[in-house]
């Protein structure tokens, strides 16, 4: 589980908890007036050696972050959002699948 904290004016307080599986990184980005958080999940929650697990993109609803899209990943380590010539991309750094460390990372294009 990961926790999002909100500044109260004098301290950070728990705002929202989000289920995660060995979370390695969070990436905040905005597109088209919407706010998103992507989590890079490293391992499945039932098997510590299962690196083939979904990572999740959450969208701000106005009150909380809700699941927007799940993406299959392989021992995900990092997300990076970037745009080129007005087109938005989200890249995930995959680390391993089972015992295989020769795994591709992926760049997704928003459409």
């Amino acid at each position: 589980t990961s926790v999002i904290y909100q500044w109260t004016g004098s301290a950070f307080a728990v705002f929202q908890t989000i289920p995660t599986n060995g979370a390695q990184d969070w990436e905040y980005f905005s597109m088209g007036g919407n706010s998103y958080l992507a989590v890079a999940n490293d391992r499945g929650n039932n098997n510590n050696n299962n690196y083939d697990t979904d990572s999740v993109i959450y969208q701000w609803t106005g009150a909380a972050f809700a699941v927007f899209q799940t993406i299959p990943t392989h021992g995900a380590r990092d997300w990076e959002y970037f745009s080129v010539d007005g087109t938005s991309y989200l890249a995930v750094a995959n680390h391993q699948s089972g015992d295989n460390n020769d795994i591709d990372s992926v760049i997704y294009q928003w459409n």
Side-chain angles (χ1 to χ4, degrees), residues 7 76 79:
W7 182 250
W79 285 105

Side-chain angles (χ1 to χ4, degrees), residues 66-86:
V67 173
F68 175 75
Q69 183 177 354
T70 58
I71 295 179
T73 54
H74 309 283
R77 292 291 199 249
D78 189 30
W79 285 105
E80 290 297 326
Y81 169 82
F82 60 97
S83 63
V84 177
D85 296 330

Side-chain angles (χ1 to χ4, degrees), residues 11 38 40-41 47 51-53 56 64 66 72-73 81 93 95 99 105-106 111:
N41 284 318
N47 180 347
Y51 292 94
D52 300 324
T53 189
V56 184
T73 54
Y81 169 82
H95 177 250
D99 292 331
S105 293
V106 182
N111 57 18

Side-chain angles (χ1 to χ4, degrees), residues 44-56:
N45 61 357
N46 294 328
N47 180 347
N48 285 341
N49 293 322
N50 179 13
Y51 292 94
D52 300 324
T53 189
D54 289 340
S55 289
V56 184

Side-chain angles (χ1 to χ4, degrees), residues 10-55:
S10 60
F12 283 101
V14 173
F15 174 75
Q16 181 178 353
T17 58
I18 294 180
T20 54
N21 299 312
Q24 299 291 304
D25 178 65
W26 284 92
E27 177 79 2
Y28 168 83
F29 58 98
S30 62
M31 294 184 307
N34 295 310
S35 295
Y36 301 90
L37 278 174
V39 62
N41 284 318
D42 179 48
R43 300 179 187 208
N45 61 357
N46 294 328
N47 180 347
N48 285 341
N49 293 322
N50 179 13
Y51 292 94
D52 300 324
T53 189
D54 289 340
S55 289

